[in-house]
Amino acid sequence: MNRSRVFSGMRPTGQLHLGHLAGALTNWVKLQEDHDCFYGIVDWHALMSNYDDSEETRKLCMDVLLDWLSVGLSPEKSCIFIQSHVPQHAELFLALSMITPLGWLYRNPTYKEQIVNIRNKDLSTFAFLGYPVLMAADILLYRAEKVPVGEDQSAHMELSRELVRRFNHFFGEGLLPEPQTLLTPTPKVPGTDGRKMSKSYKNSLYISESAESMWEKLRTMITDPSREKRRDPGDPGKCPVWDIHKVFNPDESERAEIDNGCRTAGIGCIDCKKMLNTHIAEMMEPIHERRARYEKDAGLLNDILVEGARRAEAVARATMRDIYPSMGLLARADRVS
Ligand code: TRP
């Protein structure tokens, strides 16, 4: 069976929330059924913006691993590993940097946006400018054909493809394949304050959140602001709780009832939130059970990471073996391959 190769990665910068679940992880879990998936916890990428807190990164890698395993990413089906455990990521990053024009990096819209908007950190570093080059290396090291990412990564993906064309032009046509973006539809998952769910807004519903804490957040979440009293009719189109219903409530007829009940003041916001809470709790139950099992087995978590790195490195080494001579580097004489 010839499954196509998939690569994707996440930076270990915090606990994962329902936005990550709906926008990426659910799709990653599906992909592992019929693709050859590589999923990397990209810790070098996290250091590019959080180099002043390296202790955090170590801990956050394990948090992301637990979140991934709990939602059903399987170390039997996918290769799950930590980027820095496979040194070839850094090697290919260096190799690609030989042919990366600085103009491409300075013109990258994500870079331009972040350098003005992220004011609390000094991001005027060589590495931060080169962020998309390391991302290209992640993908190309595994000759991944498909990369599931959200719209916000499109510019980086385009740069990866341009780098492949330039690399092949210099060092050999067909040496590296051009990766395709598998654009994941990112459903709107607002946070408790109605803004986009994000760790930095402190408005997130976390995957690892207990049922009690989840309900407390939902219960106090903002709704349609014009619905002040129970008898005021509401507009679901202006309610962030309704946006979450659309993503996490699979019961269509119940959703129709809520929509109608809100517009006619037939139900109150608490009734609506209770129904949402029931669906989320049901979905989270197996996730939390799986988490509890992994959480108490540090040995197993380490085995998963060691085995993941071993498998990833075998593929990565083979890619580098093709690249070195093509770039004109002299092979080390004591290495047959
Ligand atoms: N840049 C991605 C993000 O911020 C993370 C990432 C790093 C990635 N390397 C990757 C995603 C390779 C896909 C493929 O979400």
Side-chain angles (χ1 to χ4, degrees):
M1 199 171 34
N2 207 1
R3 297 160 165 248
S4 59
R5 180 72 58 78
V6 162
F7 182 94
S8 201
M10 269 188 202
R11 287 173 307 135
T13 54
Q15 286 171 290
L16 304 181
H17 53 60
L18 296 191
H20 295 112
L21 184 59
L25 293 172
T26 304
N27 188 41
W28 290 17
V29 170
K30 278 199 207 111
L31 284 169
Q32 51 178 6
E33 296 308 325
D34 48 6
H35 291 76
D36 183 21
C37 298
F38 286 73
Y39 295 127
I41 298 174
V42 290
D43 51 351
W44 281 122
H45 276 107
L47 279 189
M48 285 175 168
S49 45
N50 299 350
Y51 55 85
D52 55 349
D53 199 352
S54 40
E55 197 55 44
E56 263 267 287
T57 301
R58 193 192 335 267
K59 182 192 160 295
L60 290 173
C61 280
M62 293 314 279
D63 286 350
V64 169
L65 177 65
L66 270 172
D67 280 328
W68 281 10
L69 295 169
S70 71
V71 301
L73 284 189
S74 151
E76 269 94 54
K77 294 175 185 166
S78 299
C79 179
I80 296 171
F81 68 100
I82 290 183
Q83 183 190 39
S84 68
H85 291 181
V86 181
Q88 287 80 4
H89 286 258
E91 277 184 60
L92 185 53
F93 172 60
L94 177 63
L96 291 173
S97 76
M98 303 301 152
I99 54 117
T100 307
L102 277 173
W104 291 11
L105 299 177
Y106 284 124
R107 272 198 305 273
N108 169 15
T110 314
Y111 176 75
K112 288 202 287 192
E113 188 257 317
Q114 293 187 334
I115 212 80
V116 277
N117 288 332
I118 305 180
R119 290 253 132 256
N120 57 342
K121 294 175 190 166
D122 182 4
L123 294 180
S124 52
T125 58
F126 169 56
F128 192 68
L129 180 66
Y131 183 106
V133 183
L134 181 59
M135 180 163 161
D138 296 343
I139 298 163
L140 300 174
L141 206 45
Y142 303 97
R143 301 178 185 279
E145 297 151 80
K146 299 177 187 166
V147 182
V149 283
E151 180 65 40
D152 63 325
Q153 299 296 312
S154 293
H156 288 151
M157 286 305 301
E158 199 45 53
L159 207 136
S160 290
R161 274 192 296 277
E162 280 166 341
L163 275 181
V164 169
R165 291 198 284 271
R166 197 168 154 84
F167 193 85
N168 289 347
H169 166 75
F170 283 113
F171 306 123
E173 285 313 323
L175 197 53
L176 293 172
E178 259 184 61
Q180 299 307 312
T181 306
L182 256 189
L183 205 58
T184 319
T186 6
K188 186 173 166 198
V189 182
T192 49
D193 58 0
R195 292 187 291 174
K196 182 182 155 69
M197 195 177 284
S198 159
K199 186 187 66 151
S200 45
Y201 294 156
K202 300 198 184 330
N203 65 356
S204 298
L205 306 167
Y206 292 103
I207 293 174
S208 56
E209 189 125 19
S210 73
E212 297 71 39
S213 154
M214 185 74 82
W215 168 240
E216 193 49 31
K217 286 187 181 176
L218 284 177
R219 192 181 66 78
T220 51
M221 182 165 170
I222 71 154
T223 58
D224 172 2
S226 58
R227 196 173 181 196
E228 283 174 27
K229 304 226 170 59
R230 169 69 177 77
R231 66 178 137 82
D232 299 334
D235 178 357
K238 299 202 178 95
C239 179
V241 176
W242 178 245
D243 286 325
I244 303 187
H245 263 289
K246 285 192 282 189
V247 184
F248 292 106
N249 180 348
D251 184 342
E252 223 171 296
S253 68
E254 187 183 82
R255 281 205 318 268
E257 273 168 41
I258 295 170
D259 182 76
N260 182 55
C262 175
R263 291 175 196 282
T264 56
I267 63 166
C269 291
I270 283 293
D271 304 318
C272 162
K273 287 170 168 179
K274 275 185 185 154
M275 289 185 257
L276 177 58
N277 187 55
T278 305
H279 290 291
I280 292 182
E282 196 173 298
M283 183 179 64
M284 288 300 156
E285 207 177 275
I287 293 178
H288 290 166
E289 272 171 21
R290 234 180 271 125
R291 188 188 187 90
R293 261 182 280 136
Y294 281 113
E295 221 161 17
K296 57 172 189 267
D297 198 343
L300 176 59
L301 294 177
N302 278 321
D303 289 350
I304 289 171
L305 289 179
V306 169
E307 176 60 13
R310 199 191 55 75
R311 277 171 57 196
E313 189 169 7
V315 178
R317 214 186 284 125
T319 304
M320 293 314 291
R321 205 159 50 210
D322 293 342
I323 286 173
Y324 271 66
S326 309
M327 291 186 81
L329 298 168
L330 180 65
R332 213 173 99 173
D334 62 347
R335 288 215 183 124
V336 198
S337 55

